[in-house]
């Protein structure tokens, strides 16, 4: 869920699906909250507390060691460079990403410009926000700006969407932009206007068919011609149909970015917000890995690159297999 993503970026431990009985404990009760393993221990013994503190100290020491080499490139032992990018929501995140050694922004969640407000952001507000983020990253660090991705689990107060029985299969992602071209055009225009401040790329979410991509790319090409500015245009691979058609998409896009959270949800038919089933969301499921493999091979064949922007990319256990793919 996006609440979990935000909590993670703020270094706040976050545990879901906790039984209602936690409300019965008094304030001040000792608790160990282990969100790596996903459990909460109430009234731990002195020995359990000592073990936990030792783990925390070890993790802090590892973090300090990692920071010392954060600005060095990530290169495998056989000399293959892997670009390490940050997913961000605003300029503060961008500045933090630079300090922590990010080489790029793999995903700017532009919807946070649109949320928590009563009206759509103006062109000037959008341009200013993008300029700040691009400027913070600098010309050498590309920033992928994902176009407005709302609907499903991200409603907007001023964009009333009909109540849907299956919102994750409804009007969300790029479908919002296609159905409201004026809104999308304004965002594309703002990105192109701000592009001088750094190295901008545009990415469309939830693309499931070639005609969708061609429709939005046509809009981008029209605006690029007016602005006299050209940026790379890519798509998120988060719907199985996009992965299965990756060989066709690869001929028409500049890059792919695999959104493993949604790709896993749609491939396994498991709602990632479902309290009983969320634990079954496994980005390393063989079916998901096959779709990733298919996407990467299709991109390579056309000389295009592929990134991973789902939470799987920040899981150290997943890194070896992702690098292998």
């Amino acid at each position: 869920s996006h609440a979990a993503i935000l909590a993670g970026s703020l270094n706040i431990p976050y545990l879901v699906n906790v039984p209602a009985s936690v409300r019965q404990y008094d304030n001040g009760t000792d608790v160990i909250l282990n969100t790596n393993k996903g459990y909460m221990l109430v009234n731990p013994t002195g020995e359990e507390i000592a073990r936990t503190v030792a783990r925390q100290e070890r993790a802090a020491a590892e973090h300090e060691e990692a920071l010392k080499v954060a600005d060095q490139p990530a290169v495998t032992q056989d000399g293959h460079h892997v670009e390490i990018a940050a997913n961000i929501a605003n300029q503060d995140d961008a500045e933090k990403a630079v300090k922590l050694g990010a080489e790029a922004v793999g995903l700017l969640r532009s919807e946070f410009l649109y949320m928590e407000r009563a009206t759509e952001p103006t062109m000037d507000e959008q341009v200013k926000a993008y300029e700040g983020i691009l400027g913070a990253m600098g010309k050498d660090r590309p920033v992928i700006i994902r176009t407005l991705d709302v609907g499903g689990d991200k409603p907007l107060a001023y964009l009333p969407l009909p109540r849907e029985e299956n919102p994750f299969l409804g009007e969300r992602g790029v479908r919002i932009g296609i159905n409201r071209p004026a809104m999308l055009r304004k965002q594309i225009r703002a990105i192109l206007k701000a592009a001088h401040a750094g190295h901008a790329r545009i990415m469309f979410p939830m693309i499931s068919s070639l005609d969708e991509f061609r429709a939005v790319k046509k809009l981008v090409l029209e605006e690029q011609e007016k602005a006299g500015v050209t940026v790379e245009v890519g798509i998120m691979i988060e719907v199985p149909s996009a992965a299965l058609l990756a060989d066709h998409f690869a001929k028409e896009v500049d890059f792919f970015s695999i959104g493993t959270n949604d790709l896993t949800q749609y491939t396994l038919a498991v709602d990632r917000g479902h309290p009983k089933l969320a634990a079954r969301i496994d980005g390393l499921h063989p079916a998901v890995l096959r779709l990733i493999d298919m996407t990467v091979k299709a991109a390579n064949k056309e000389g295009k690159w592929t990134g991973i922007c789902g939470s799987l990319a920040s899981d150290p256990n997943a890194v070896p297999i992702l690098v292998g793919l």
Side-chain angles (χ1 to χ4, degrees):
S1 113
H2 290 86
I5 291 169
L6 288 172
S9 71
L10 296 168
N11 289 322
I12 298 171
Y14 186 99
L15 196 62
V16 297
N17 209 18
V18 179
S21 57
V22 296
R23 297 197 184 101
Q24 293 163 13
Y25 297 110
D26 295 330
N27 285 340
T29 301
D30 280 341
V31 166
I32 290 174
L33 185 65
N34 186 329
T35 56
N36 289 341
K37 296 272 168 64
Y39 69 82
M40 188 175 100
L41 191 61
V42 182
N43 292 319
T45 64
E47 192 184 331
E48 286 165 335
I49 290 173
R51 264 206 308 270
T52 300
V53 170
R55 266 207 302 271
Q56 288 175 328
E57 288 168 352
R58 207 160 49 241
E62 283 171 8
H63 184 68
E64 285 304 312
E65 285 302 307
L67 282 179
K68 289 176 190 170
V69 293
D71 58 346
Q72 294 179 18
V75 182
T76 61
Q77 289 181 359
D78 60 351
H80 181 78
H81 174 241
V82 178
E83 183 183 75
I84 307 297
N87 283 4
I88 68 168
N90 51 43
Q91 190 174 330
D92 286 349
D93 286 354
E95 288 163 5
K96 185 178 167 189
V98 171
K99 280 183 196 155
L100 295 175
E103 298 168 63
V105 165
L107 171 64
L108 168 62
R109 298 185 187 93
S110 69
E111 56 272 17
F112 289 109
L113 268 173
Y114 293 77
M115 295 167 99
E116 303 300 327
R117 51 184 296 148
T119 55
E120 181 188 343
T122 64
M123 172 77 77
D124 287 345
E125 284 174 321
Q126 290 189 54
V127 172
K128 193 177 170 191
Y130 298 140
E131 282 176 340
I133 289 161
L134 288 163
M137 294 304 294
K139 298 270 185 190
D140 296 332
R141 296 185 186 90
V143 176
I144 295 177
I145 302 171
R146 179 176 70 186
T147 60
L148 179 62
D149 185 15
V150 293
D153 55 347
K154 291 174 287 185
L156 285 184
Y158 52 89
L159 185 69
L161 294 168
R163 186 170 170 76
E164 296 177 307
E165 198 172 327
N166 292 308
F168 283 101
L169 300 178
E171 195 180 351
R172 64 177 299 222
V174 77
R175 295 164 186 174
I176 300 266
I178 287 171
N179 292 340
R180 293 167 177 76
M183 202 174 185
L184 180 60
R185 196 175 284 276
K186 187 199 278 189
Q187 183 175 26
I188 298 300
R189 212 169 272 175
I191 294 169
L192 295 174
K193 219 171 176 180
H196 67 91
H199 182 169
R201 291 168 170 159
I202 293 172
M203 177 164 71
F204 291 100
M206 278 289 291
I207 294 282
S208 60
S209 62
L210 283 159
D211 64 323
E212 285 176 337
F213 176 65
R214 286 169 183 160
V216 290
K217 190 174 183 184
K218 180 173 178 283
L219 188 150
V220 173
L221 291 172
E222 288 168 3
E223 290 305 322
Q224 286 189 153
E225 200 174 329
K226 285 182 206 164
V229 176
T230 305
V231 300
E232 293 159 281
V233 180
I235 63 170
M236 288 188 78
I237 301 286
E238 48 190 342
V239 178
S241 61
L244 293 166
L245 290 174
D247 54 339
H248 293 276
F249 278 113
K251 291 178 171 69
E252 303 190 24
V253 304
D254 294 314
F255 64 89
F256 288 141
S257 187
I258 301 173
T260 55
N261 301 355
D262 267 331
L263 184 62
T264 304
Q265 162 171 271
Y266 290 126
T267 303
L268 302 182
V270 175
D271 179 351
R272 67 189 212 225
H274 193 292
K276 282 186 180 165
L277 298 177
R280 294 186 61 82
I281 288 278
D282 177 13
L284 293 175
H285 188 286
V288 180
L289 292 179
R290 279 189 178 187
L291 292 174
I292 293 173
D293 184 50
M294 195 179 280
T295 302
V296 174
K297 283 176 176 164
N300 281 350
K301 198 173 172 192
E302 298 295 331
K304 309 292 168 67
W305 59 269
T306 305
I308 295 256
C309 72
S311 56
L312 195 67
S314 63
D315 179 354
N317 295 319
V319 168
I321 197 161
L322 293 177
V323 170
L325 289 168

